[in-house]
Amino acid sequence: MLRNIFKEYASPFALRRMGIMGMNKRNISYISRYNPRRLYPLVDNKLHTKRISLDAGVTVPELIGVVEYQHQVSHLWEMIKDWPGFCIKPAKGSGGKGILVIERHDRERFVKPSGKEETIGDLERHISNILAGLFSLGGKPDVALIEALINFDDVFDGFSFEGVPDTRIIVFKGFPIMAMMRLSTEASDGKANLHQGAVGVGLDINTGRAIRAVQHNLPIRYHPDTGRDLLELKVPYWEEMLSLASSCYEMSGLGYIGTDMVLDKQKGPMLLELNARPGLAIQTANGAGLVPRLRKIEKMGRDIKMTPEQRVEFSRREFAV
């Protein structure tokens, strides 16, 4: 059956009938129309996103430190010495580029999730590359964030290889309309990036249960590294996740966004970042198009007076699988 679906996908007319949204329609009809350009810096810069999230009372990973200038790189050890593990990431990076995760260290050897070891010199060079804009949007000079590691919930054991699984929810005018979980693999180097080989699992917007899974745009049933049955996945605290995603509409002012969240064992649902130009692979993971859901929200009119909780209730009812 899935093979037949993908055969249909080969026809542009079939894609249109299924409501599959392409990049041009996304850019022109939704991103340009609903995302004021003046607000992009709030989400294109992870440091700005963290600040508005904290102001709104949203839980985010703890910030250990920020490196803004080259002369600060030599002080890296002072920042991280009391932290057994941490994550270094570019503030303006995208697609998981430039993210370096260290699980543990003994002051000399810094161990990545893959088991590969780095030295303090390696970490300093990585930060220097971040500052130079090697991983930033447009190659512009950047700053490096150093964050505490996420202690992800045991409920996801076996569903992800080494890295932290995250949940992407597309939010339109405050309504959660489609969701997937991104699971890291050996091929993706422990990062939840679909283009690098991570697994995408489509989620029922009503229950948070898996409905199908893909890797490299092809359907799969079991995790390629752990063998875990991906259709057994169910995200706990699902209603809280949806409410958090919905509230990002008021927090950011952006009408069409991708919200990326994780589930921490102690702190619960936690916002990682917002994306003003969310990708379209979520449709492949769900085996469904975004367009019919977007149009249903648009037909409700321009001035919708609903709380985040009411919007979540509407989405769970209207977009359930």
mmCIF file of all heavy atoms in Angstrom, residues 91-137:
data_model
loop_
_atom_site.group_PDB
_atom_site.id
_atom_site.type_symbol
_atom_site.label_atom_id
_atom_site.label_comp_id
_atom_site.label_asym_id
_atom_site.label_seq_id
_atom_site.Cartn_x
_atom_site.Cartn_y
_atom_site.Cartn_z
ATOM 1 N N ALA A 91 24.293 30.142 17.379
ATOM 2 C CA ALA A 91 23.028 30.835 17.619
ATOM 3 C C ALA A 91 22.214 30.964 16.349
ATOM 4 O O ALA A 91 20.982 30.967 16.386
ATOM 5 C CB ALA A 91 23.292 32.211 18.219
ATOM 6 N N LYS A 92 22.896 31.073 15.201
ATOM 7 C CA LYS A 92 22.186 31.294 13.934
ATOM 8 C C LYS A 92 22.283 30.090 13.001
ATOM 9 O O LYS A 92 22.072 30.219 11.802
ATOM 10 C CB LYS A 92 22.760 32.530 13.228
ATOM 11 C CG LYS A 92 22.658 33.811 14.051
ATOM 12 C CD LYS A 92 23.344 34.973 13.331
ATOM 13 C CE LYS A 92 23.370 36.224 14.194
ATOM 14 N NZ LYS A 92 24.135 37.324 13.546
ATOM 15 N N GLY A 93 22.563 28.935 13.546
ATOM 16 C CA GLY A 93 22.674 27.740 12.719
ATOM 17 C C GLY A 93 21.316 27.196 12.330
ATOM 18 O O GLY A 93 20.284 27.588 12.876
ATOM 19 N N SER A 94 21.311 26.266 11.386
ATOM 20 C CA SER A 94 20.070 25.621 10.959
ATOM 21 C C SER A 94 20.365 24.191 10.541
ATOM 22 O O SER A 94 21.494 23.848 10.202
ATOM 23 C CB SER A 94 19.443 26.386 9.789
ATOM 24 O OG SER A 94 20.281 26.323 8.645
ATOM 25 N N GLY A 95 19.334 23.358 10.601
ATOM 26 C CA GLY A 95 19.480 21.978 10.146
ATOM 27 C C GLY A 95 20.423 21.140 10.985
ATOM 28 O O GLY A 95 20.932 20.123 10.523
ATOM 29 N N GLY A 96 20.666 21.540 12.220
ATOM 30 C CA GLY A 96 21.551 20.767 13.086
ATOM 31 C C GLY A 96 23.032 20.977 12.828
ATOM 32 O O GLY A 96 23.884 20.364 13.479
ATOM 33 N N LYS A 97 23.367 21.871 11.891
ATOM 34 C CA LYS A 97 24.777 22.097 11.565
ATOM 35 C C LYS A 97 25.485 22.823 12.711
ATOM 36 O O LYS A 97 24.961 23.763 13.287
ATOM 37 C CB LYS A 97 24.896 22.921 10.290
ATOM 38 C CG LYS A 97 24.357 22.233 9.052
ATOM 39 C CD LYS A 97 24.422 23.136 7.835
ATOM 40 C CE LYS A 97 23.812 22.467 6.616
ATOM 41 N NZ LYS A 97 23.794 23.379 5.439
ATOM 42 N N GLY A 98 26.695 22.364 13.007
ATOM 43 C CA GLY A 98 27.510 23.038 14.018
ATOM 44 C C GLY A 98 27.208 22.663 15.442
ATOM 45 O O GLY A 98 27.847 23.174 16.366
ATOM 46 N N ILE A 99 26.258 21.749 15.662
ATOM 47 C CA ILE A 99 25.932 21.340 17.030
ATOM 48 C C ILE A 99 26.904 20.245 17.474
ATOM 49 O O ILE A 99 27.073 19.225 16.800
ATOM 50 C CB ILE A 99 24.489 20.836 17.122
ATOM 51 C CG1 ILE A 99 23.512 21.974 16.814
ATOM 52 C CG2 ILE A 99 24.213 20.254 18.504
ATOM 53 C CD1 ILE A 99 22.060 21.554 16.816
ATOM 54 N N LEU A 100 27.542 20.468 18.597
ATOM 55 C CA LEU A 100 28.506 19.518 19.149
ATOM 56 C C LEU A 100 28.062 19.138 20.556
ATOM 57 O O LEU A 100 27.946 19.988 21.436
ATOM 58 C CB LEU A 100 29.908 20.142 19.194
ATOM 59 C CG LEU A 100 31.014 19.305 19.843
ATOM 60 C CD1 LEU A 100 31.229 18.006 19.090
ATOM 61 C CD2 LEU A 100 32.308 20.104 19.906
ATOM 62 N N VAL A 101 27.793 17.853 20.745
ATOM 63 C CA VAL A 101 27.326 17.347 22.041
ATOM 64 C C VAL A 101 28.449 16.577 22.730
ATOM 65 O O VAL A 101 29.065 15.696 22.137
ATOM 66 C CB VAL A 101 26.100 16.429 21.861
ATOM 67 C CG1 VAL A 101 25.673 15.843 23.208
ATOM 68 C CG2 VAL A 101 24.946 17.206 21.224
ATOM 69 N N ILE A 102 28.702 16.952 23.969
ATOM 70 C CA ILE A 102 29.686 16.242 24.803
ATOM 71 C C ILE A 102 28.944 15.608 25.973
ATOM 72 O O ILE A 102 28.320 16.304 26.768
ATOM 73 C CB ILE A 102 30.773 17.209 25.319
ATOM 74 C CG1 ILE A 102 31.538 17.829 24.148
ATOM 75 C CG2 ILE A 102 31.716 16.481 26.281
ATOM 76 C CD1 ILE A 102 32.299 16.839 23.279
ATOM 77 N N GLU A 103 29.005 14.289 26.060
ATOM 78 C CA GLU A 103 28.273 13.588 27.117
ATOM 79 C C GLU A 103 29.016 13.562 28.444
ATOM 80 O O GLU A 103 28.404 13.609 29.510
ATOM 81 C CB GLU A 103 27.985 12.148 26.682
ATOM 82 C CG GLU A 103 26.864 12.023 25.679
ATOM 83 C CD GLU A 103 26.404 10.588 25.528
ATOM 84 O OE1 GLU A 103 27.212 9.658 25.786
ATOM 85 O OE2 GLU A 103 25.232 10.381 25.145
ATOM 86 N N ARG A 104 30.344 13.492 28.371
ATOM 87 C CA ARG A 104 31.140 13.412 29.606
ATOM 88 C C ARG A 104 32.576 13.794 29.291
ATOM 89 O O ARG A 104 32.987 13.813 28.122
ATOM 90 C CB ARG A 104 31.090 11.996 30.199
ATOM 91 C CG ARG A 104 31.676 10.933 29.303
ATOM 92 C CD ARG A 104 31.438 9.533 29.839
ATOM 93 N NE ARG A 104 32.121 8.515 29.043
ATOM 94 C CZ ARG A 104 31.646 8.012 27.911
ATOM 95 N NH1 ARG A 104 30.486 8.428 27.446
ATOM 96 N NH2 ARG A 104 32.330 7.083 27.255
ATOM 97 N N HIS A 105 33.332 14.093 30.332
ATOM 98 C CA HIS A 105 34.748 14.419 30.121
ATOM 99 C C HIS A 105 35.519 14.177 31.418
ATOM 100 O O HIS A 105 34.945 14.106 32.515
ATOM 101 C CB HIS A 105 34.908 15.876 29.663
ATOM 102 C CG HIS A 105 34.515 16.889 30.693
ATOM 103 N ND1 HIS A 105 35.386 17.358 31.647
ATOM 104 C CD2 HIS A 105 33.334 17.528 30.912
ATOM 105 C CE1 HIS A 105 34.767 18.251 32.407
ATOM 106 N NE2 HIS A 105 33.522 18.368 31.986
ATOM 107 N N ASP A 106 36.828 14.040 31.288
ATOM 108 C CA ASP A 106 37.699 13.878 32.455
ATOM 109 C C ASP A 106 38.747 14.993 32.481
ATOM 110 O O ASP A 106 39.867 14.784 32.942
ATOM 111 C CB ASP A 106 38.375 12.505 32.446
ATOM 112 C CG ASP A 106 39.248 12.286 31.211
ATOM 113 O OD1 ASP A 106 39.392 13.237 30.402
ATOM 114 O OD2 ASP A 106 39.794 11.183 31.053
ATOM 115 N N ARG A 107 38.375 16.153 31.973
ATOM 116 C CA ARG A 107 39.209 17.345 31.885
ATOM 117 C C ARG A 107 40.165 17.305 30.685
ATOM 118 O O ARG A 107 40.613 18.345 30.224
ATOM 119 C CB ARG A 107 40.021 17.591 33.176
ATOM 120 C CG ARG A 107 39.145 17.913 34.371
ATOM 121 C CD ARG A 107 39.977 18.051 35.638
ATOM 122 N NE ARG A 107 39.152 18.501 36.756
ATOM 123 C CZ ARG A 107 39.091 19.755 37.178
ATOM 124 N NH1 ARG A 107 39.809 20.682 36.576
ATOM 125 N NH2 ARG A 107 38.325 20.075 38.199
ATOM 126 N N GLU A 108 40.475 16.123 30.188
ATOM 127 C CA GLU A 108 41.374 16.011 29.036
ATOM 128 C C GLU A 108 40.661 15.439 27.811
ATOM 129 O O GLU A 108 40.873 15.907 26.699
ATOM 130 C CB GLU A 108 42.584 15.137 29.390
ATOM 131 C CG GLU A 108 43.506 15.768 30.430
ATOM 132 C CD GLU A 108 44.725 14.909 30.689
ATOM 133 O OE1 GLU A 108 44.843 13.839 30.037
ATOM 134 O OE2 GLU A 108 45.558 15.287 31.524
ATOM 135 N N ARG A 109 39.817 14.451 28.030
ATOM 136 C CA ARG A 109 39.087 13.817 26.937
ATOM 137 C C ARG A 109 37.608 14.162 27.047
ATOM 138 O O ARG A 109 36.992 13.958 28.091
ATOM 139 C CB ARG A 109 39.280 12.303 26.983
ATOM 140 C CG ARG A 109 40.721 11.864 26.729
ATOM 141 C CD ARG A 109 40.884 10.389 27.011
ATOM 142 N NE ARG A 109 40.616 10.088 28.426
ATOM 143 C CZ ARG A 109 40.590 8.857 28.941
ATOM 144 N NH1 ARG A 109 40.803 7.817 28.155
ATOM 145 N NH2 ARG A 109 40.349 8.670 30.220
ATOM 146 N N PHE A 110 37.059 14.678 25.955
ATOM 147 C CA PHE A 110 35.662 15.074 25.902
ATOM 148 C C PHE A 110 34.951 14.120 24.946
ATOM 149 O O PHE A 110 35.271 14.079 23.756
ATOM 150 C CB PHE A 110 35.536 16.525 25.437
ATOM 151 C CG PHE A 110 36.146 17.508 26.406
ATOM 152 C CD1 PHE A 110 37.524 17.730 26.414
ATOM 153 C CD2 PHE A 110 35.357 18.184 27.316
ATOM 154 C CE1 PHE A 110 38.101 18.615 27.303
ATOM 155 C CE2 PHE A 110 35.920 19.091 28.221
ATOM 156 C CZ PHE A 110 37.290 19.301 28.217
ATOM 157 N N VAL A 111 34.022 13.350 25.486
ATOM 158 C CA VAL A 111 33.441 12.226 24.747
ATOM 159 C C VAL A 111 32.087 12.596 24.147
ATOM 160 O O VAL A 111 31.172 13.021 24.854
ATOM 161 C CB VAL A 111 33.284 11.002 25.665
ATOM 162 C CG1 VAL A 111 32.791 9.795 24.857
ATOM 163 C CG2 VAL A 111 34.611 10.672 26.344
ATOM 164 N N LYS A 112 31.973 12.389 22.816
ATOM 165 C CA LYS A 112 30.720 12.619 22.106
ATOM 166 C C LYS A 112 29.811 11.392 22.253
ATOM 167 O O LYS A 112 30.270 10.317 22.680
ATOM 168 C CB LYS A 112 31.019 12.885 20.621
ATOM 169 C CG LYS A 112 31.859 14.129 20.375
ATOM 170 C CD LYS A 112 32.385 14.191 18.954
ATOM 171 C CE LYS A 112 31.269 14.290 17.938
ATOM 172 N NZ LYS A 112 31.814 14.457 16.565
ATOM 173 N N PRO A 113 28.515 11.516 21.924
ATOM 174 C CA PRO A 113 27.609 10.364 22.026
ATOM 175 C C PRO A 113 28.090 9.151 21.228
ATOM 176 O O PRO A 113 27.824 8.012 21.606
ATOM 177 C CB PRO A 113 26.290 10.899 21.458
ATOM 178 C CG PRO A 113 26.343 12.361 21.722
ATOM 179 C CD PRO A 113 27.784 12.748 21.556
ATOM 180 N N SER A 114 28.811 9.389 20.140
ATOM 181 C CA SER A 114 29.320 8.284 19.313
ATOM 182 C C SER A 114 30.496 7.563 19.959
ATOM 183 O O SER A 114 30.907 6.505 19.500
ATOM 184 C CB SER A 114 29.763 8.827 17.954
ATOM 185 O OG SER A 114 30.850 9.739 18.107
ATOM 186 N N GLY A 115 31.044 8.146 21.027
ATOM 187 C CA GLY A 115 32.225 7.580 21.671
ATOM 188 C C GLY A 115 33.516 8.238 21.211
ATOM 189 O O GLY A 115 34.580 8.033 21.817
ATOM 190 N N LYS A 116 33.453 9.031 20.160
ATOM 191 C CA LYS A 116 34.634 9.735 19.668
ATOM 192 C C LYS A 116 35.069 10.781 20.691
ATOM 193 O O LYS A 116 34.252 11.467 21.301
ATOM 194 C CB LYS A 116 34.337 10.415 18.332
ATOM 195 C CG LYS A 116 35.541 11.128 17.743
ATOM 196 C CD LYS A 116 35.224 11.795 16.415
ATOM 197 C CE LYS A 116 36.426 12.547 15.873
ATOM 198 N NZ LYS A 116 36.126 13.242 14.602
ATOM 199 N N GLU A 117 36.375 10.904 20.862
ATOM 200 C CA GLU A 117 36.910 11.822 21.860
ATOM 201 C C GLU A 117 37.454 13.099 21.221
ATOM 202 O O GLU A 117 38.018 13.067 20.130
ATOM 203 C CB GLU A 117 38.021 11.135 22.663
ATOM 204 C CG GLU A 117 37.521 9.941 23.474
ATOM 205 C CD GLU A 117 38.634 9.261 24.245
ATOM 206 O OE1 GLU A 117 39.815 9.663 24.079
ATOM 207 O OE2 GLU A 117 38.334 8.320 25.012
ATOM 208 N N GLU A 118 37.244 14.211 21.903
ATOM 209 C CA GLU A 118 37.753 15.512 21.478
ATOM 210 C C GLU A 118 38.632 16.072 22.597
ATOM 211 O O GLU A 118 38.518 15.670 23.761
ATOM 212 C CB GLU A 118 36.596 16.485 21.200
ATOM 213 C CG GLU A 118 35.562 15.994 20.197
ATOM 214 C CD GLU A 118 36.013 16.182 18.766
ATOM 215 O OE1 GLU A 118 37.005 16.916 18.547
ATOM 216 O OE2 GLU A 118 35.379 15.602 17.864
ATOM 217 N N THR A 119 39.510 16.985 22.245
ATOM 218 C CA THR A 119 40.316 17.691 23.237
ATOM 219 C C THR A 119 39.739 19.084 23.446
ATOM 220 O O THR A 119 38.885 19.540 22.680
ATOM 221 C CB THR A 119 41.771 17.814 22.770
ATOM 222 O OG1 THR A 119 41.814 18.666 21.607
ATOM 223 C CG2 THR A 119 42.357 16.445 22.423
ATOM 224 N N ILE A 120 40.214 19.774 24.466
ATOM 225 C CA ILE A 120 39.753 21.145 24.690
ATOM 226 C C ILE A 120 40.128 22.020 23.489
ATOM 227 O O ILE A 120 39.389 22.935 23.113
ATOM 228 C CB ILE A 120 40.339 21.723 26.004
ATOM 229 C CG1 ILE A 120 39.677 23.066 26.358
ATOM 230 C CG2 ILE A 120 41.841 21.861 25.910
ATOM 231 C CD1 ILE A 120 38.244 22.978 26.749
ATOM 232 N N GLY A 121 41.262 21.699 22.865
ATOM 233 C CA GLY A 121 41.669 22.431 21.658
ATOM 234 C C GLY A 121 40.681 22.235 20.516
ATOM 235 O O GLY A 121 40.380 23.174 19.769
ATOM 236 N N ASP A 122 40.153 20.993 20.389
ATOM 237 C CA ASP A 122 39.145 20.716 19.358
ATOM 238 C C ASP A 122 37.884 21.543 19.601
ATOM 239 O O ASP A 122 37.293 22.091 18.664
ATOM 240 C CB ASP A 122 38.781 19.231 19.348
ATOM 241 C CG ASP A 122 39.936 18.341 18.915
ATOM 242 O OD1 ASP A 122 40.751 18.784 18.086
ATOM 243 O OD2 ASP A 122 40.014 17.203 19.423
ATOM 244 N N LEU A 123 37.484 21.616 20.865
ATOM 245 C CA LEU A 123 36.279 22.385 21.207
ATOM 246 C C LEU A 123 36.493 23.870 20.924
ATOM 247 O O LEU A 123 35.591 24.551 20.416
ATOM 248 C CB LEU A 123 35.908 22.182 22.681
ATOM 249 C CG LEU A 123 35.683 20.749 23.164
ATOM 250 C CD1 LEU A 123 35.123 20.749 24.581
ATOM 251 C CD2 LEU A 123 34.754 19.994 22.236
ATOM 252 N N GLU A 124 37.677 24.369 21.243
ATOM 253 C CA GLU A 124 37.967 25.791 20.995
ATOM 254 C C GLU A 124 37.968 26.097 19.500
ATOM 255 O O GLU A 124 37.464 27.150 19.074
ATOM 256 C CB GLU A 124 39.312 26.145 21.625
ATOM 257 C CG GLU A 124 39.283 26.163 23.142
ATOM 258 C CD GLU A 124 40.653 26.390 23.758
ATOM 259 O OE1 GLU A 124 41.668 26.273 23.018
ATOM 260 O OE2 GLU A 124 40.725 26.688 24.971
ATOM 261 N N ARG A 125 38.514 25.174 18.704
ATOM 262 C CA ARG A 125 38.499 25.375 17.247
ATOM 263 C C ARG A 125 37.073 25.361 16.712
ATOM 264 O O ARG A 125 36.726 26.126 15.807
ATOM 265 C CB ARG A 125 39.344 24.301 16.552
ATOM 266 C CG ARG A 125 40.835 24.612 16.542
ATOM 267 C CD ARG A 125 41.597 23.638 15.673
ATOM 268 N NE ARG A 125 41.607 22.288 16.234
ATOM 269 C CZ ARG A 125 42.474 21.867 17.154
ATOM 270 N NH1 ARG A 125 43.387 22.700 17.617
ATOM 271 N NH2 ARG A 125 42.418 20.629 17.596
ATOM 272 N N HIS A 126 36.253 24.474 17.268
ATOM 273 C CA HIS A 126 34.861 24.402 16.838
ATOM 274 C C HIS A 126 34.145 25.730 17.126
ATOM 275 O O HIS A 126 33.397 26.235 16.272
ATOM 276 C CB HIS A 126 34.144 23.258 17.559
ATOM 277 C CG HIS A 126 32.739 23.037 17.094
ATOM 278 N ND1 HIS A 126 32.430 22.459 15.889
ATOM 279 C CD2 HIS A 126 31.545 23.364 17.669
ATOM 280 C CE1 HIS A 126 31.113 22.413 15.739
ATOM 281 N NE2 HIS A 126 30.551 22.959 16.810
ATOM 282 N N ILE A 127 34.371 26.284 18.292
ATOM 283 C CA ILE A 127 33.748 27.564 18.640
ATOM 284 C C ILE A 127 34.275 28.677 17.741
ATOM 285 O O ILE A 127 33.507 29.555 17.298
ATOM 286 C CB ILE A 127 33.977 27.886 20.124
ATOM 287 C CG1 ILE A 127 33.179 26.906 21.000
ATOM 288 C CG2 ILE A 127 33.584 29.332 20.447
ATOM 289 C CD1 ILE A 127 33.356 27.095 22.483
ATOM 290 N N SER A 128 35.546 28.652 17.431
ATOM 291 C CA SER A 128 36.107 29.658 16.515
ATOM 292 C C SER A 128 35.437 29.576 15.145
ATOM 293 O O SER A 128 35.164 30.609 14.508
ATOM 294 C CB SER A 128 37.621 29.461 16.368
ATOM 295 O OG SER A 128 38.291 29.746 17.579
ATOM 296 N N ASN A 129 35.159 28.352 14.698
ATOM 297 C CA ASN A 129 34.454 28.179 13.425
ATOM 298 C C ASN A 129 33.031 28.733 13.491
ATOM 299 O O ASN A 129 32.528 29.311 12.526
ATOM 300 C CB ASN A 129 34.420 26.707 13.032
ATOM 301 C CG ASN A 129 35.764 26.192 12.554
ATOM 302 O OD1 ASN A 129 36.596 26.959 12.071
ATOM 303 N ND2 ASN A 129 35.987 24.892 12.694
ATOM 304 N N ILE A 130 32.390 28.542 14.643
ATOM 305 C CA ILE A 130 31.050 29.107 14.831
ATOM 306 C C ILE A 130 31.108 30.625 14.747
ATOM 307 O O ILE A 130 30.304 31.254 14.035
ATOM 308 C CB ILE A 130 30.449 28.671 16.193
ATOM 309 C CG1 ILE A 130 30.108 27.179 16.162
ATOM 310 C CG2 ILE A 130 29.203 29.504 16.527
ATOM 311 C CD1 ILE A 130 29.607 26.634 17.489
ATOM 312 N N LEU A 131 32.051 31.232 15.437
ATOM 313 C CA LEU A 131 32.177 32.690 15.443
ATOM 314 C C LEU A 131 32.426 33.228 14.030
ATOM 315 O O LEU A 131 31.961 34.313 13.671
ATOM 316 C CB LEU A 131 33.312 33.128 16.367
ATOM 317 C CG LEU A 131 33.172 32.786 17.855
ATOM 318 C CD1 LEU A 131 34.358 33.333 18.640
ATOM 319 C CD2 LEU A 131 31.877 33.320 18.425
ATOM 320 N N ALA A 132 33.153 32.457 13.232
ATOM 321 C CA ALA A 132 33.476 32.885 11.862
ATOM 322 C C ALA A 132 32.294 32.749 10.910
ATOM 323 O O ALA A 132 32.363 33.198 9.766
ATOM 324 C CB ALA A 132 34.658 32.080 11.339
ATOM 325 N N GLY A 133 31.213 32.113 11.383
ATOM 326 C CA GLY A 133 30.021 31.973 10.551
ATOM 327 C C GLY A 133 29.992 30.728 9.696
ATOM 328 O O GLY A 133 29.206 30.645 8.745
ATOM 329 N N LEU A 134 30.807 29.736 10.032
ATOM 330 C CA LEU A 134 30.883 28.519 9.218
ATOM 331 C C LEU A 134 29.548 27.779 9.164
ATOM 332 O O LEU A 134 29.233 27.113 8.175
ATOM 333 C CB LEU A 134 31.968 27.592 9.772
ATOM 334 C CG LEU A 134 32.329 26.359 8.939
ATOM 335 C CD1 LEU A 134 32.852 26.773 7.564
ATOM 336 C CD2 LEU A 134 33.336 25.484 9.659
ATOM 337 N N PHE A 135 28.740 27.889 10.227
ATOM 338 C CA PHE A 135 27.484 27.139 10.288
ATOM 339 C C PHE A 135 26.249 28.037 10.259
ATOM 340 O O PHE A 135 25.133 27.544 10.356
ATOM 341 C CB PHE A 135 27.445 26.308 11.578
ATOM 342 C CG PHE A 135 28.678 25.489 11.812
ATOM 343 C CD1 PHE A 135 29.589 25.845 12.800
ATOM 344 C CD2 PHE A 135 28.939 24.368 11.044
ATOM 345 C CE1 PHE A 135 30.734 25.105 13.021
ATOM 346 C CE2 PHE A 135 30.081 23.609 11.253
ATOM 347 C CZ PHE A 135 30.983 23.977 12.241
ATOM 348 N N SER A 136 26.424 29.331 10.149
ATOM 349 C CA SER A 136 25.295 30.255 10.270
ATOM 350 C C SER A 136 24.582 30.462 8.949
ATOM 351 O O SER A 136 25.133 30.202 7.867
ATOM 352 C CB SER A 136 25.768 31.608 10.805
ATOM 353 O OG SER A 136 26.553 32.282 9.837
ATOM 354 N N LEU A 137 23.344 30.937 9.040
ATOM 355 C CA LEU A 137 22.570 31.276 7.849
ATOM 356 C C LEU A 137 23.273 32.395 7.089
ATOM 357 O O LEU A 137 23.550 33.447 7.648
ATOM 358 C CB LEU A 137 21.163 31.727 8.255
ATOM 359 C CG LEU A 137 20.259 30.650 8.879
ATOM 360 C CD1 LEU A 137 19.044 31.293 9.523
ATOM 361 C CD2 LEU A 137 19.838 29.634 7.843
#
